[in-house]
C-alpha cells in the first residue's frame, strides 16, 4: 500500500487534490481512497488529507501515520506543523516551493506549483489553482500514470490551461 | 464541582495564532478613519481593540471590517510570502 | 457502472436508482451532500421525484409519512441532532407501517459539540420499530440503500429502514464503487393500506388498551418476518449483481478463539487487526454486525468476545456489548471507543484483544 499525506491550508484545494489523485489511481486500475481530515472548516487553517493506493481493497479508515509521500501545498505550514511526523525512513517529500526548499534526511522534490499556476493566470477566487500542476508533478513521481493524470484533468476541468499547468509541473520536477 | 463540562472561557487565541491563516491583511488609513468603531463591532474574532488597533496575531484576514467601514478606510492587501 | 465517489454520493445515487417519488429532506453535517446530490438529480431530470425542502427534520419525516401513506416510494437522509429531532416521527412512521427509507450519517450528539462519527444517534432510536443496517464501505452504502427499499416495502415487513454510515469516515471518504440497474429488483410499491380516495378511511385513529397491544405486536411480527426477507433480498442481490452480503459478516472466524465484534467502519478496520493478531499466533476472528434491528446473534459459543461500542448507554454500558451478552450469554470484554470520531487504529483494536478481560469494560483513552 502506498500512503500519501497532503498538507495544505483550507481553501487551497487540498481536499479536491486528494480526490483527484485517488481518482487517477482508480483509473490506473488500483484501489484508492481519499480522506479529508475535517474539523471546523476554516479558510487559511492548516488542513490534512490522506490518500491510500493499493492493489487490494483498502480496509483502513484511520489516519495515515507512516506516509510514503508527504505533499506540502503551502510551505509556510512547515513552521506550524511537523509535516515529517511519522514519515517512513525512505519516505519522500514534495513541496510547493518557489525557493527550492529541501528537508533533511528525505528525498525532496521542490516544485513551484504556485508559480506555474500564476504564470498561466489559473486563479480561482483569488487563489492560484494548485491541483492540476500537482497532478502533473505526482505523475512524474510514478504514483499515478501520465495517461490517468491527463484523463482526470480533462474530465474535471474545462479550461485547457490546466493541462498545460500539469505538463509544466511534470517538466519542472527533477527526479 | 465534579462534573466535566465543555466550557470555553474568554481568552486569547484558543486556536493558536490564527493570524497565520491570513491571505489578505487589513490596512487602516488613519486619514480617512472617523473612529466610528463599526469595524471593531463587526470583527468576528474581536481582533480590533477599543482604540481600533488591529491585532495581526489573531486577525484571519476575513475582510469584514473593510466591507463594513462606511469611510472605506480599510484596504485588504495581499500578504507577502 | 464502475465509478468513484464518497459514501454520501453512493447513497444519493442508490436512492436515485431506486426511483423514489418523494424526497423530503433537511441538510445537516455530515449528510448534506446526500440531499444536495438528490436535489441535483431532481433538478437535472435524472430523478423524476418531488423534492420537498422542509424547515426541520421533524417535518422531513412528517412529509415522508404523508407521501408514503399514499403508497409512493419515499426517501430522506439525516444525522445526529436531526435524527433525534425526528424521534416522534420515527415512532409514527413505524407505527403507521410505512416503508420509508432513510440514510443516517452517524454523528455524535452535543454538547460538547462534535460532528465526528458516533452511533449514539441511531442506537438511541433503536426501539422505534425501524430496521437498522450499518455499512462499512462506500460500495456497501450503495448496495444497502438499494436493498433497503425492497426490504422495507415487502408486504411481510412494511417497516421503515435506516441505513447507517459513519459520519466523515464513510460519508466523506472517496472509494471505488459500482452502480447497478435495479430493473425489477425493487418491485413497484404495493402498500396494502395506501390511502385510496375510492375507499375512504381514518388513519391513526384511537386504539384503546384492549387492542393497542395487538398493533404493537404486529410491528414485532413485521420485524421478525424481516429476517427471511433480508436474507432473500441479499441472496437475490448477490445473484443479480454479484456482491454478497449477510446479516452479519464473519472474517477468519472458523477456528477463532477470540472474536472482535463491531459495526460500521471499525468493523472493516478490525479485519486488519485480526491479520496482525493471526501473524502473532493469536487465533483471532471478527464479526461485523450489519443488522442491529432486527438483532441476529452470531454463534459465539466457547469464544472470547471483544465488543467495540461506538456509543454508550449511560447507567448501563456499551449497547452492542449488552445486547450480545443478553442474547448469547457471552461475557464480552466491552470496549468503548471511537466516540465523536475519536481516532481508533487497527493497532489499537489489536491491543484491545491483547488486554482483554472478559466481563469488564474499557473506555479507550480514559485513564481515571
Amino acid at each position: 500500500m502506498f500512503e500519501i499525506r497532503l498538507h495544505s491550508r483550507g481553501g487551497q484545494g487540498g481536499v479536491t487534490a486528494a480526490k483527484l489523485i485517488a481518482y487517477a489511481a482508480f483509473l490506473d486500475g488500483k484501489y484508492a481512497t481519499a480522506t479529508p481530515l475535517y474539523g471546523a472548516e476554516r479558510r487559511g487553517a492548516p488542513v490534512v488529507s490522506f490518500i491510500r493506493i493499493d492493489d487490494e481493497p483498502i480496509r483502513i479508515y484511520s489516519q495515515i501515520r507512516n506516509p510514503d509521500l508527504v505533499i506540502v501545498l503551502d510551505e509556510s505550514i512547515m513552521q506550524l506543523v511537523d509535516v515529517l511526523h511519522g514519515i517512513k525512513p525512505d519516505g519522500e517529500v514534495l513541496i510547493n516551493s518557489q525557493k527550492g526548499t529541501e528537508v533533511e534526511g528525505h528525498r525532496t522534490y521542490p516544485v513551484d506549483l504556485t508559480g506555474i499556476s500564476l504564470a498561466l493566470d489559473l486563479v480561482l477566487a483569488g487563489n492560484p489553482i494548485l491541483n492540476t500542476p500537482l497532478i502533473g508533478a505526482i505523475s512524474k513521481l510514478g504514483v499515478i500514470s501520465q495517461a490517468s493524470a491527463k484523463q482526470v484533468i480533462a474530465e474535471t476541468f474545462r479550461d485547457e490551461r490546466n493541462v498545460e499547468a500539469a505538463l509544466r509541473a511534470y517538466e519542472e520536477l527533477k527526479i | 464541582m465534579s462534573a466535566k463540562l465543555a466550557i470555553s472561557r474568554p481568552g486569547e487565541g484558543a486556536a493558536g495564532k490564527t493570524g497565520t491563516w491570513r491571505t489578505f491583511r487589513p490596512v487602516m488609513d488613519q486619514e480617512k478613519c472617523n473612529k466610528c468603531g463599526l469595524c471593531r463591532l463587526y470583527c468576528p474574532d474581536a481582533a480590533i481593540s477599543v482604540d481600533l488597533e488591529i491585532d495581526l496575531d489573531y486577525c484571519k484576514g476575513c475582510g469584514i471590517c473593510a466591507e463594513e467601514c462606511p469611510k472605506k478606510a480599510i484596504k485588504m492587501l495581499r500578504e507577502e510570502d | 457502472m464502475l465509478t468513484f465517489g464518497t459514501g454520501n454520493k453512493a447513497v444519493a445515487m442508490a436512492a436515485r436508482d431506486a426511483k423514489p417519488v418523494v424526497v423530503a429532506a433537511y441538510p445537516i453535517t455530515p449528510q448534506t451532500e446526500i440531499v444536495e446530490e438528490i436535489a441535483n438529480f431532481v433538478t437535472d431530470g435524472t430523478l423524476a421525484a418531488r423534492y420537498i425542502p422542509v424547515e426541520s427534520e421533524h417535518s422531513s419525516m412528517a412529509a415522508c409519512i404523508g407521501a408514503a401513506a399514499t403508497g409512493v416510494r419515499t426517501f430522506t437522509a439525516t444525522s445526529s441532532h436531526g435524527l433525534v429531532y425526528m424521534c416522534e416521527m420515527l415512532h409514527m412512521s413505524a407505527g403507521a407501517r410505512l416503508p420509508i427509507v432513510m440514510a443516517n450519517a452517524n454523528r455524535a450528539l452535543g454538547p460538547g459539540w462534535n460532528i465526528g462519527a458516533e452511533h449514539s444517534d441511531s442506537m438511541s432510536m433503536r426501539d422505534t420499530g425501524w430496521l437498522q443496517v450499518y455499512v462499512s464501505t462506500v460500495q456497501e452504502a450503495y448496495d444497502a440503500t438499494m436493498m433497503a427499499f425492497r426490504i422495507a416495502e415487502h408486504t411481510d415487513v412494511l417497516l421503515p429502514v435506516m441505513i447507517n454510515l459513519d459520519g466523515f469516515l464513510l460519508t466523506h471518504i472517496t472509494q471505488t464503487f459500482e452502480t447497478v440497474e435495479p430493473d425489477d429488483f425493487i418491485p413497484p410499491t404495493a402498500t396494502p393500506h395506501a390511502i385510496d380516495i375510492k375507499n375512504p378511511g381514518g388513519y391513526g385513529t384511537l386504539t384503546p388498551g384492549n387492542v393497542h397491544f395487538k398493533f404493537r405486536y404486529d410491528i414485532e411480527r413485521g420485524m421478525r418476518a424481516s429476517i427471511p426477507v433480508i436474507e432473500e433480498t441479499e441472496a437475490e442481490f448477490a445473484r443479480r449483481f454479484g456482491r454478497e452480503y449477510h446479516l452479519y459478516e464473519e472474517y477468519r472466524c472458523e477456528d477463532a478463539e477470540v472474536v472482535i465484534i463491531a459495526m460500521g467502519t471499525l468493523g472493516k478496520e478490525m479485519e486488519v487487526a485480526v491479520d496482525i493478531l493471526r501473524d502473532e499466533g493469536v487465533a483471532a476472528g471478527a464479526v461485523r454486525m450489519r443488522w442491529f434491528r432486527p438483532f441476529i446473534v452470531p454463534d459465539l459459543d466457547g469464544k472470547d468476545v471483544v465488543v467495540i461500542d461506538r456509543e454508550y448507554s449511560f447507567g448501563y454500558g456499551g449497547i452492542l456489548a449488552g445486547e450480545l451478552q443478553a442474547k448469547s450469554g457471552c461475557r464480552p470484554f466491552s470496549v468503548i471507543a471511537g466516540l465523536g470520531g475519536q481516532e481508533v487504529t487497527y493497532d489499537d483494536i489489536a491491543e484491545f484483544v491483547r488486554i482483554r478481560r472478559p466481563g469488564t469494560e474499557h473506555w479507550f483513552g480514559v485513564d481515571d
Side-chain angles (χ1 to χ4, degrees):
Chain A
M1 179 149 40
F2 192 80
E3 298 185 304
I4 308 173
R5 191 172 62 211
L6 194 158
H7 295 270
S8 61
R9 287 186 183 273
Q12 270 193 316
V15 172
T16 307
K19 278 190 190 183
L20 296 176
I21 293 168
Y23 182 51
F26 161 71
L27 293 176
D28 285 337
K30 308 269 182 138
Y31 289 94
T33 63
T35 321
L37 182 57
Y38 277 98
E41 284 78 351
R42 306 170 295 196
R43 193 175 188 84
V47 291
V48 181
S49 302
F50 305 107
I51 304 136
R52 287 188 167 94
I53 302 171
D54 203 357
D55 295 323
E56 304 290 322
I58 296 161
R59 302 175 293 178
I60 302 172
Y61 288 86
S62 53
Q63 296 166 26
I64 290 174
R65 289 168 284 161
N66 306 113
D68 298 277
L69 175 66
V70 169
I71 300 172
V72 183
L73 278 189
D74 182 335
E75 64 176 317
S76 70
I77 282 178
M78 295 165 74
Q79 290 152 25
L80 307 170
V81 181
D82 177 14
V83 299
L84 298 180
H85 185 79
I87 188 172
K88 290 208 175 84
D90 58 348
E92 301 182 331
V93 186
L94 188 150
I95 305 177
N96 173 23
S97 172
Q98 194 179 2
K99 50 187 192 243
T101 302
E102 301 260 348
V103 299
E104 257 179 61
H106 292 277
R107 181 76 200 265
T108 315
Y109 304 98
V111 55
D112 185 10
L113 304 174
T114 306
I116 291 167
S117 186
L118 288 177
L120 291 163
D121 200 24
L122 268 176
V123 178
L124 188 70
N127 287 325
I129 293 173
L130 303 176
N131 296 330
T132 43
L134 176 64
I135 289 167
I138 291 284
S139 69
K140 182 82 166 264
L141 295 180
V143 174
I144 52 174
S145 73
Q146 245 186 309
S148 296
K150 274 186 196 154
Q151 190 179 334
V152 166
I153 294 169
E155 280 183 24
T156 317
F157 302 91
R158 266 187 229 148
D159 194 328
E160 286 287 317
R161 286 174 299 176
N162 285 292
V163 179
E164 178 59 24
L167 281 172
R168 285 195 194 178
Y170 183 91
E171 271 152 32
E172 275 188 28
L173 189 131
K174 304 272 180 299
I175 299 191
Chain B
M1 187 176 75
S2 64
K4 286 182 179 159
L5 298 172
I7 299 175
S8 56
R9 303 286 182 197
E12 230 178 47
K17 299 229 166 165
T18 48
T20 63
W21 304 2
R22 201 169 50 235
T23 326
F24 293 92
R25 168 202 300 258
V27 178
M28 224 181 258
D29 182 342
Q30 297 298 344
E31 296 291 307
K32 286 188 187 166
C33 172
N34 67 351
K35 307 279 186 278
C36 71
L38 279 179
C39 54
R40 175 170 173 265
L41 287 176
Y42 276 101
C43 176
D45 277 302
I48 304 179
S49 72
V50 183
D51 304 325
L52 308 187
E53 301 278 338
I54 300 174
D55 187 343
L56 290 173
D57 279 350
Y58 298 105
C59 163
K60 294 171 185 159
C62 69
I64 289 175
C65 54
E67 183 68 25
E68 294 298 335
C69 177
K71 292 287 174 187
K72 301 280 170 242
I74 304 176
K75 281 208 161 47
M76 299 302 293
L77 301 181
R78 197 173 183 92
E79 288 282 342
E80 296 307 322
D81 291 348
Chain C
M1 192 184 79
L2 199 60
T3 183
F4 195 66
T6 62
N8 277 339
K9 195 173 174 191
V11 169
M13 288 171 81
R16 174 201 65 190
D17 296 344
K19 299 185 179 62
V21 173
V22 171
V23 177
Y26 191 81
I28 181 171
T29 301
Q31 164 279 124
T32 302
E33 189 188 4
I34 298 177
V35 296
E36 275 177 358
E37 287 282 336
I38 291 177
N40 283 337
F41 294 143
V42 172
T43 307
D44 68 20
T46 44
L47 174 60
R50 176 75 183 271
Y51 184 92
I52 311 176
V54 288
E55 77 285 3
S56 77
E57 287 85 357
H58 191 278
S59 298
S60 66
M61 188 47 64
C64 286
I65 289 171
T70 70
V72 302
R73 183 165 296 150
T74 56
F75 179 81
T76 187
T78 191
S79 176
S80 181
H81 287 261
L83 182 72
V84 296
Y85 188 32
M86 62 169 71
C87 173
E88 181 192 20
M89 290 293 119
L90 294 181
H91 284 276
M92 194 77 86
S93 46
R97 307 304 296 272
L98 297 171
I100 298 162
V101 172
M102 173 167 67
N104 177 55
N106 287 112
R107 172 190 138 180
L109 295 158
W113 213 249
N114 182 295
I115 54 172
E118 191 176 313
H119 296 164
S120 297
D121 52 3
S122 52
M123 295 288 248
S124 70
M125 296 297 123
R126 65 183 182 170
D127 300 335
T128 54
W130 278 65
L131 279 70
Q132 288 193 9
V133 62
Y134 290 75
V135 301
S136 69
T137 64
V138 171
Q139 181 71 69
E140 191 184 3
Y142 179 90
D143 295 344
T145 304
M146 176 75 66
M147 285 188 268
F149 289 96
R150 175 166 161 148
I151 295 163
E153 292 166 7
H154 194 288
T155 48
D156 290 352
V157 180
L158 290 171
L159 285 170
V161 177
M162 188 189 302
I163 303 106
N164 291 282
L165 62 164
D166 286 340
F168 290 104
L169 294 170
L170 197 49
T171 58
H172 283 61
I173 196 171
T174 310
Q175 292 177 339
T176 308
F177 68 103
E178 191 173 19
T179 61
V180 299
E181 287 293 334
D183 296 325
D184 59 350
F185 174 72
I186 312 173
T189 50
T191 315
H193 53 292
I195 290 172
D196 177 1
I197 53 168
K198 294 195 195 86
N199 184 19
Y203 287 76
T205 52
L206 189 71
T207 55
N210 62 337
V211 290
H212 184 73
F213 61 91
K214 293 184 183 175
F215 296 103
R216 296 281 107 184
Y217 179 68
D218 202 57
I219 295 175
E220 175 57 12
R221 194 147 48 193
M223 196 55 96
R224 289 180 192 177
S226 74
I227 297 172
V229 171
I230 292 168
E231 286 179 314
E232 176 268 322
T233 300
E234 288 171 350
E236 178 63 15
F237 189 89
R239 251 196 307 280
R240 290 195 188 210
F241 309 119
R243 289 188 293 276
E244 247 187 70
Y245 295 97
H246 302 281
L247 296 164
Y248 51 85
E249 303 282 343
E250 292 182 308
Y251 182 74
R252 301 184 80 169
C253 275
E254 314 77 46
D255 59 338
E257 287 159 15
V258 53
V259 293
I260 321 166
I261 305 181
M263 304 199 298
T265 52
L266 281 176
K268 187 52 75 175
E269 179 126 359
M270 70 184 176
E271 291 181 6
V272 181
V274 165
D275 292 346
I276 291 171
L277 291 162
R278 287 271 174 177
D279 287 346
E280 289 171 10
V282 180
V287 180
R288 181 168 67 83
M289 300 293 287
R290 295 186 67 247
W291 290 92
F292 181 66
R293 287 291 181 273
F295 192 70
I296 302 104
V297 193
D299 178 16
L300 301 169
D301 252 7
K303 290 176 171 42
D304 267 15
V305 177
V306 176
V307 181
I308 308 173
D309 272 289
R310 195 168 208 136
E311 35 47 38
Y312 197 75
S313 176
F314 301 111
Y316 176 69
I319 296 171
L320 183 59
E323 299 213 346
L324 282 165
Q325 179 160 10
K327 290 283 186 184
S328 77
C330 69
R331 285 179 72 244
F333 177 52
S334 166
V335 179
I336 313 302
L339 305 194
Q342 180 193 25
E343 174 80 347
V344 183
T345 69
Y346 48 85
D347 285 328
D348 297 325
I349 299 171
E351 190 61 14
F352 299 154
V353 173
R354 293 187 202 106
I355 64 166
R356 70 187 182 277
R357 283 186 296 142
T360 67
E361 181 178 289
H362 172 66
W363 279 70
F364 178 50
V366 173
D367 40 23
D368 61 19

